[in-house]
Amino acid sequence: MLPIDDQMLQQKSDRVSDQVGDQVGDQVKIVLKYCLKPQKRKDILEKELNLTNHTKNFNNYIKPLVQFQWLKYTYPNVVKSSKQAYVTTDKGKLLLKILSESNE
């Protein structure tokens, strides 16, 4: 059994982890909903997530969704196209449905 101080620390850590997990889940839902229609990177970051259009934010918020195949490129053969946009995949739509149901 953990001493009292360690137990309290573990409980606080668990609460923080839950809050971070909820926040990430919320951001994923926001992006997946927004991208039901193709959206540009700048619009996703600035309009929906209220973040700057920097590489770091792209790498943290959009790229993982593409890697998990929850979002896809509208121009997959020209990833750096100035017309590039992102759209929610069927896999992403299923995840969105699961996330929405878990919050009910």
Side-chain angles (χ1 to χ4, degrees), residues 17-28:
S17 292
D18 288 345
Q19 289 171 345
V20 169
D22 290 345
Q23 185 178 7
V24 169
D26 289 345
Q27 290 169 334
V28 169

Side-chain angles (χ1 to χ4, degrees), residues 40-47 49-64 80 86:
K40 292 193 168 253
R41 161 189 168 151
K42 180 178 179 170
D43 293 335
I44 297 168
L45 292 172
E46 293 180 357
K47 290 181 181 179
L49 297 177
N50 296 316
L51 298 169
T52 55
N53 184 16
H54 290 142
T55 302
K56 179 180 175 183
N57 289 330
F58 172 79
N59 288 339
N60 287 334
Y61 295 94
I62 298 174
K63 192 173 184 180
K80 295 194 182 234
Y86 302 85

Side-chain angles (χ1 to χ4, degrees), residues 1-28:
M1 181 139 182
L2 295 173
I4 299 295
D5 290 339
D6 289 344
Q7 282 180 324
M8 290 173 54
L9 182 61
Q10 183 64 43
Q11 289 172 349
K12 286 181 182 180
S13 176
D14 290 345
R15 282 195 300 265
V16 169
S17 292
D18 288 345
Q19 289 171 345
V20 169
D22 290 345
Q23 185 178 7
V24 169
D26 289 345
Q27 290 169 334
V28 169

Side-chain angles (χ1 to χ4, degrees), residues 24-85:
V24 169
D26 289 345
Q27 290 169 334
V28 169
K29 280 196 316 190
I30 288 167
V31 172
L32 293 178
K33 278 184 186 179
Y34 187 63
C35 292
L36 289 171
K37 294 182 180 177
Q39 302 293 337
K40 292 193 168 253
R41 161 189 168 151
K42 180 178 179 170
D43 293 335
I44 297 168
L45 292 172
E46 293 180 357
K47 290 181 181 179
E48 287 305 299
L49 297 177
N50 296 316
L51 298 169
T52 55
N53 184 16
H54 290 142
T55 302
K56 179 180 175 183
N57 289 330
F58 172 79
N59 288 339
N60 287 334
Y61 295 94
I62 298 174
K63 192 173 184 180
L65 301 183
V66 173
Q67 290 171 333
F68 284 123
Q69 298 176 355
W70 297 337
L71 287 180
K72 67 180 178 181
Y73 298 109
T74 54
Y75 295 95
N77 296 329
V78 190
V79 176
K80 295 194 182 234
S81 169
S82 61
K83 297 179 184 180
Q84 188 63 266

